[in-house]
Amino acid sequence: MKNDRFNPSQAVVPRAQDAGPLQDSLGASEASIQSLLREGSSENTLAAYRSAIQYWAAWHQLRLGSPFLLPLPVNTVMQFIADHVEHVTNQGLAYDLPAEVDAALVAAKVKRKVGPFKLATVRHRLAVLSEAHETQDLPNPCRSRAVQTLLERVRSAYAKRGERPARKDALTKEPLEQLLATCDDSLIGLRDRALLLFAWASGGRRRSEVMRATMENTRRVPEGFLYTLGYSKTNQDGVERADSHKPVVGRAAAALEAWLTAAAITSGPLFRRVRRGGVIGEGLGAEAVRKIVQARAALAGLSGDYAAHSLRSGFVTEAGRQGLPLGETMAMTGHASVASVVSYHRAGAALSAKAGRLLERDSDINEAPVLDPAADSIGHD
């Protein structure tokens, strides 16, 4: 193809040429502005944004034969959706992306494998494109009635087919105990035990929040430790809040104390790399939480699909199982939206609900076996 020299690593969001008013009024260089934007975003957000823009650029060049320039017309966004989601045909489900373009995108390493995207991936790609337009104050095709209507129909079609978003299993108390049982008293075992308990027991911390935990923002108290969450996904301004302080007590506190003592950590990040010979290195990256969870799940012989978010969804699900009020649960997790946490909480509480046993006698209710809702796949936020 004529575009086989395309280099996705060079893809950036094309910007409006005239940035004069902003530069004239603020006297700020573009490099400074971009630096501030990067610093104010998490590494995961930046990586996801970069990946999405690279894909848009590659798809536009290979599919339409022209460079990716903003603003995009509405019909281009509509074509992108049709290329990446499945629709019903006489031969079954199909998508519009030509096979040769699909293969070229995989060869360019901007797509893992040929085939349609998951609906969640398409929505994320569109969200990034929308943000790119909004940031540059350009007409946003993603907000057009045509695109919004098509997305609504696509979501309904997928729902009618019984397709639900892929979700990680929740690490409720029982599977978490199995992970912890794989942690020995080596430095790595002490660290992993402390990390898992810290992340879970302090309210299901996000992996970025775990990595930002330091000796400076995690102080010892008579009950254990108190972790002050100065910045989070739902508090990006770092505003002091009553629920910014997360308790690390009981077993979680004991595990953290054992790790800090063994690793001789007195300042800086709590959780760090352990190099050969027991040398304590730099702080772990956010991706390390996922790897630790998955490695420990494999050692424990768990068959579910677990990742870093399993700690968060597991905490909320377990809170529902044990009857912890939703408000108290949210104060621990830091969720800003009830809608994003209530599904986990209700899933945990569902099998203990009296409403499900209205036909049974009281004695039957008392003797009924308690099932574990963690046997089902619980969601990803």
Side-chain angles (χ1 to χ4, degrees), residues 15-71:
R15 304 181 310 106
Q17 293 182 354
D18 183 12
L22 178 63
Q23 293 187 353
D24 291 344
S25 61
L26 300 180
S29 69
E30 178 60 28
S32 297
I33 295 171
Q34 294 302 318
S35 177
L36 288 169
L37 289 172
R38 287 193 297 272
E39 186 178 354
S41 301
S42 71
E43 292 182 7
N44 293 333
T45 299
L46 287 172
Y49 188 96
R50 188 179 301 112
S51 175
I53 290 299
Q54 288 176 353
Y55 187 83
W56 271 104
W59 172 82
H60 200 283
Q61 185 72 54
L62 293 168
R63 179 71 160 106
L64 305 178
S66 59
F68 171 65
L69 297 172
L70 302 186

Side-chain angles (χ1 to χ4, degrees), residues 9-349:
S9 66
Q10 298 175 353
V12 295
V13 181
R15 304 181 310 106
Q17 293 182 354
D18 183 12
L22 178 63
Q23 293 187 353
D24 291 344
S25 61
L26 300 180
S29 69
E30 178 60 28
S32 297
I33 295 171
Q34 294 302 318
S35 177
L36 288 169
L37 289 172
R38 287 193 297 272
E39 186 178 354
S41 301
S42 71
E43 292 182 7
N44 293 333
T45 299
L46 287 172
Y49 188 96
R50 188 179 301 112
S51 175
I53 290 299
Q54 288 176 353
Y55 187 83
W56 271 104
W59 172 82
H60 200 283
Q61 185 72 54
L62 293 168
R63 179 71 160 106
L64 305 178
S66 59
F68 171 65
L69 297 172
L70 302 186
L72 290 188
V74 170
N75 61 347
T76 296
V77 178
M78 301 279 279
Q79 183 63 63
F80 182 89
I81 296 172
D83 276 1
H84 294 91
V85 302
E86 292 181 299
H87 59 273
V88 176
T89 69
N90 292 334
Q91 289 75 40
L93 294 176
Y95 61 106
D96 286 1
L97 190 64
E100 64 274 14
V101 175
D102 205 354
L105 289 167
V106 174
K109 297 183 178 180
V110 295
K111 196 167 187 268
R112 291 184 181 179
K113 60 182 180 179
V114 297
F117 277 154
K118 293 180 180 178
L119 183 55
T121 303
V122 174
R123 295 176 65 179
H124 177 264
R125 294 287 191 267
L126 292 172
V128 170
L129 182 71
S130 178
E131 181 66 17
H133 283 81
E134 296 290 337
T135 299
Q136 298 189 39
D137 197 24
L138 296 171
N140 188 349
C142 300
R143 292 186 178 275
S144 69
R145 184 175 182 82
V147 170
Q148 291 296 311
T149 299
L150 179 58
L151 283 176
E152 289 176 7
R153 299 295 188 272
V154 169
R155 287 194 293 267
S156 296
Y158 272 56
K160 287 179 180 179
R161 296 177 206 152
E163 297 187 29
R164 301 175 61 189
R167 295 186 167 187
K168 301 297 182 183
D169 289 315
L171 276 169
T172 50
K173 185 177 180 180
E174 289 81 359
L176 177 66
E177 293 286 8
Q178 292 180 262
L179 262 66
L180 294 172
T182 70
C183 299
D184 57 21
D185 290 331
S186 66
L187 279 172
I188 291 178
L190 289 171
R191 181 201 63 192
D192 289 0
R193 182 186 295 117
L195 185 151
L196 291 169
L197 282 168
F198 176 94
W200 197 95
S202 65
R205 303 269 58 84
R206 299 177 179 91
R207 57 184 182 175
S208 59
E209 296 168 357
V210 174
M211 294 305 98
R212 282 196 290 270
T214 66
M215 292 298 294
E216 289 71 30
N217 60 25
T218 308
R219 59 189 176 91
R220 287 181 173 87
V221 294
E223 299 81 1
F225 294 86
L226 200 60
Y227 170 43
T228 300
L229 190 61
Y231 171 90
S232 68
K233 182 178 179 181
T234 55
N235 184 18
Q236 298 190 14
D237 294 331
V239 177
E240 176 69 21
R241 295 177 177 175
D243 61 356
S244 294
H245 308 288
K246 310 299 179 183
V248 182
V249 296
R251 291 172 60 193
L256 181 57
E257 187 66 65
W259 156 246
L260 295 176
T261 300
I265 296 174
T266 58
S267 63
L270 297 186
F271 304 107
R272 307 184 183 208
R273 291 188 62 183
V274 178
R275 301 185 183 279
R276 290 183 179 179
V279 176
I280 304 301
E282 69 277 11
L284 293 174
E287 192 65 15
V289 182
R290 176 185 64 82
K291 293 179 179 179
I292 289 171
V293 168
Q294 292 179 336
R296 293 294 171 183
L299 285 174
L302 298 183
S303 59
D305 185 12
Y306 297 97
H309 187 75
S310 298
L311 294 164
R312 189 164 175 81
S313 61
F315 176 85
V316 177
T317 306
E318 187 65 34
R321 290 175 61 184
Q322 297 194 25
L324 194 70
L326 183 60
E328 188 174 344
T329 302
M330 292 180 65
M332 284 288 287
T333 63
H335 278 96
S337 168
V338 172
S340 63
V341 70
V342 71
S343 61
Y344 303 124
H345 196 269
R346 286 179 177 171

